[in-house]
Amino acid sequence: MDERGGRYGFEAFDCAPALRLEAHERVAQLQFEALEARLDRIELLMERLEKRLWLTVYGVAGMVLAQAAMRVLDLAPRLGP
């Protein structure tokens, strides 16, 4: 054995199955990171959509209340003396 960790003048090397396993682990890690990034973007889009939905609901409710108020105001002069 020499100081480089090799044997009989050869350099140390990793075996192919270990390299494949490391490659698969790295690919899986990258896939999970990409999935987390996509989920974060989807969550942000859902929050924006929820805000728009509530704005629409409040807008429709406001229009219904405004129309009801207009009908009440239309009827008010007729009820007078």
Side-chain angles (χ1 to χ4, degrees):
M1 285 253 194
D2 59 6
E3 63 268 356
R4 290 183 293 174
R7 201 168 83 166
Y8 302 116
F10 296 108
E11 294 183 18
F13 66 95
D14 291 329
C15 64
L19 291 175
R20 282 196 303 177
L21 181 61
E22 288 176 13
H24 284 294
E25 288 173 351
R26 181 69 179 142
V27 167
Q29 180 184 4
L30 290 173
Q31 287 175 340
F32 278 115
E33 289 172 2
L35 182 62
E36 286 176 5
R38 278 187 238 144
L39 289 174
D40 289 340
R41 279 184 278 159
I42 290 171
E43 186 176 340
L44 180 64
L45 290 172
M46 285 177 56
E47 288 175 6
R48 289 174 56 191
L49 182 62
E50 183 181 9
K51 288 178 185 177
R52 290 179 184 173
L53 178 65
W54 281 113
L55 184 62
T56 303
V57 168
Y58 287 134
V60 169
M63 287 298 297
V64 169
L65 291 174
Q67 287 179 351
M70 292 297 289
R71 287 185 184 165
V72 168
L73 291 176
D74 285 343
L75 291 176
R78 294 183 202 156
L79 296 178

